[in-house]
Amino acid sequence: MEGGEGTEETPLPLVLTRFQLSEEYGFLLPDPLTELPEPYGPWMEIAHDLPQLIASHQLRSQVHQMPQLSTQHLRGREELHLAHLVLSFITMGYLWQEGEEGTVKVLPQNLAVPFWEVSQALGLPPILSHTDFVLANWRRKNPNRPLEIENLDTIISLPGGESLRGFILVTLLVEKAAVPGIKAIVQAICAILQLDEETLHKALQELAEAIGDMSKALKRMHASPCYQPPRGHSLPDFHVFPLSWKDNPAMPDGLIYEGVSDEPMAYSGGSAAQSTILHAFDELLGIRHSEESTAFLHRMRDYMPPPHRAFVEEIHRAPSLKQHVLSSGDARLCTAFNRCISALAEFRSYHITIVTKYITVAAAKAKAGQADPGDRAGPSAVKPPSALEAKGTGGSHIFSFLKSVRDTTREGMISA
């Protein structure tokens, strides 16, 4: 930022509260609301019944009967986030109720207008994003018990039952495990500015440990009993919902938000690439991805809450950690730095394993008819989304992207 004439503005310290970050929860919305005030009962009623309405092919008719509600009665960030969560899940169900061959081109005005208004108020796009899917979509079963998977539940869900619930909650635990790493970023930048090598070394050790804990949390994805597909299912039901209508052959023109714009708009759906954590780590560690991967990742920042995006940009503007470590000639700092890089590359490798197992292989099997013929029987039967074989939920070419960012992470090592 530029200061006034003859003065130099002193930047505020990298304090978490400046960026709507919590000392306890990091990027997670602390203790999200689970109910909206009375005028919004029609939204909540539909949202809580989404899996059944979609399975019985009744959601679209319910949305058409939904009253047009003003957003002016929503107060505060928490109510806005819950409204965005509810409207994004209803939108997703409305679009994909009949699978990718039965999509619609227009989102009706009674859903599109309030969704747009809430999105504008939050600085988020009008689509289900990582913020909705994970950061704002959790509650404790017992408010007096800790943040453990047995004591957690989602607020809103889609078809997929325990599989989807486990997917969301394990991702939430990864976000929670990252909190000491977020604090370590702040400590590391302050230590560089103060030339405090001892504090910097400690911060790097804490960062590496936090990334390791994120990997441990991610490994619960297939170990958790709530993320086991029902017997005979190779593909969790929720994967019939491709989350994107950008670069998606099922919706090549995007979506018209009736009452907002006469022209269709295209947005990328919820993706791990929208999680601010890895962007923050990359910026601190000076990791430089390929031009194509960087372009995609920077586009994903538009799907983060603006204060979280500002946190990443602030880290980018800070003095280079890597250059500081190199110029210090301190072997301990080099070792600690490389340990962070190694932990981050390992995390990304394991993410590739998860995507292979639960999205790509499962989608290919289902498409080839290798799944149990009874998997899709009944009124909710739809074809599995072909786009998920090659692309992720955010619309990226999943394997080339994931392997590229993993490899460029490894290349960030400091040579001995």
Side-chain angles (χ1 to χ4, degrees):
M1 284 193 307
E2 294 180 0
E5 188 177 347
T7 65
E8 189 171 309
E9 242 181 67
T10 304
L12 291 168
L14 202 64
V15 177
L16 295 183
T17 52
R18 275 182 59 206
F19 306 98
Q20 291 182 358
L21 286 169
S22 161
E23 288 279 340
E24 185 177 356
Y25 298 104
F27 293 106
L28 295 170
L29 187 67
D31 295 313
L33 293 178
T34 58
E35 291 292 338
L36 287 172
E38 180 53 38
Y40 304 103
W43 293 354
M44 297 304 303
E45 190 175 337
I46 289 175
H48 285 313
D49 203 26
L50 271 180
Q52 293 76 19
L53 289 172
I54 293 166
S56 61
H57 299 261
Q58 294 178 355
L59 176 60
R60 287 181 184 170
S61 63
Q62 287 291 309
V63 168
H64 295 155
Q65 297 169 39
M66 193 173 74
Q68 173 97 37
L69 299 176
S70 167
T71 58
Q72 66 180 5
H73 303 294
L74 294 167
R75 297 285 182 268
R77 186 164 65 107
E78 286 77 12
E79 287 189 6
L80 286 168
H81 270 297
L82 179 55
H84 199 277
L85 165 65
V86 164
L87 295 172
S88 66
F89 269 74
I90 294 174
T91 295
M92 202 59 61
Y94 183 90
L95 258 65
W96 303 104
Q97 175 181 288
E98 306 300 327
E100 64 179 348
E101 293 183 355
T103 57
V104 296
K105 295 183 178 179
V106 179
L107 193 67
Q109 181 168 322
N110 60 343
L111 180 53
V113 170
F115 193 16
W116 177 264
E117 290 174 353
V118 170
S119 299
Q120 292 292 106
L122 286 170
L124 292 171
I127 190 172
L128 182 102
S129 67
H130 180 76
T131 298
D132 305 297
F133 205 56
V134 177
L135 303 184
N137 190 24
W138 65 277
R139 65 178 183 85
R140 283 183 172 91
K141 294 176 182 177
N142 182 335
N144 300 316
R145 287 183 56 207
L147 207 72
E148 296 171 347
I149 199 161
E150 296 78 15
N151 190 40
L152 288 169
D153 204 353
T154 56
I155 299 170
I156 308 295
S157 194
L158 288 168
E162 290 299 287
S163 292
L164 176 58
R165 178 176 167 274
F167 183 86
I168 293 172
L169 297 181
V170 170
T171 307
L172 182 149
L173 293 177
V174 173
E175 293 273 350
K176 181 67 167 64
V179 173
I182 297 167
K183 295 177 182 177
I185 289 174
V186 175
Q187 292 162 1
I189 291 173
C190 289
I192 293 168
L193 292 171
Q194 295 167 7
L195 303 177
D196 183 348
E197 310 294 54
E198 195 59 43
T199 298
L200 178 57
H201 181 254
K202 183 183 176 187
L204 291 177
Q205 288 180 310
E206 290 173 355
L207 177 58
E209 188 173 339
I211 299 171
D213 288 341
M214 288 167 62
S215 291
K216 290 175 188 173
L218 186 62
K219 287 176 181 178
R220 297 192 67 171
M221 192 69 81
H222 66 248
S224 170
C226 66
Y227 194 65
Q228 298 305 312
R231 186 177 178 182
H233 287 239
S234 65
L235 178 67
D237 290 342
F238 72 90
H239 283 140
V240 303
F241 293 94
L243 301 181
S244 180
W245 43 91
K246 180 179 177 66
D247 302 326
N248 190 329
M251 296 181 67
D253 300 320
L255 178 68
I256 293 174
Y257 291 72
E258 187 180 41
V260 175
S261 171
D262 294 331
E263 296 297 319
M265 294 183 276
Y267 295 101
S268 298
S271 163
Q274 295 167 4
S275 172
T276 314
I277 293 168
L278 297 180
H279 292 254
F281 291 168
D282 280 349
E283 290 292 356
L284 179 74
L285 298 169
I287 293 167
R288 296 294 172 255
H289 298 297
S290 71
E291 187 176 343
E292 185 178 359
S293 295
T294 297
F296 174 72
L297 286 167
H298 280 207
R299 181 158 64 81
M300 290 298 98
R301 293 182 185 181
D302 294 337
Y303 295 78
M304 300 173 185
H308 295 180
R309 191 186 320 144
F311 181 70
V312 176
E313 291 164 356
E314 192 84 355
I315 298 167
H316 177 75
R317 286 192 289 268
S320 167
L321 167 64
K322 189 172 186 177
Q323 287 304 315
H324 181 86
V325 171
L326 284 167
S327 61
S328 74
D330 188 326
R332 282 196 323 155
L333 286 181
C334 285
T335 300
F337 179 91
N338 281 345
R339 189 178 160 217
C340 293
I341 295 286
S342 178
L344 189 54
E346 184 180 339
F347 177 85
R348 285 180 156 143
S349 287
Y350 196 76
H351 185 222
I352 293 172
T353 304
I354 292 290
V355 170
T356 303
K357 182 173 182 180
Y358 289 114
I359 297 183
T360 311
V361 170
K365 281 184 179 180
K367 186 182 181 186
Q370 293 174 23
D372 188 312
D375 281 2
R376 300 287 165 192
S380 63
V382 293
K383 288 186 178 181
S386 56
L388 281 171
E389 289 179 78
K391 295 192 172 189
T393 50
S396 64
H397 290 276
I398 190 88
F399 279 108
S400 58
F401 168 73
L402 291 177
K403 289 176 180 176
S404 172
V405 297
R406 188 267 317 275
D407 293 346
T408 46
T409 299
R410 285 176 177 162
E411 289 166 10
M413 287 270 195
I414 293 175
S415 302

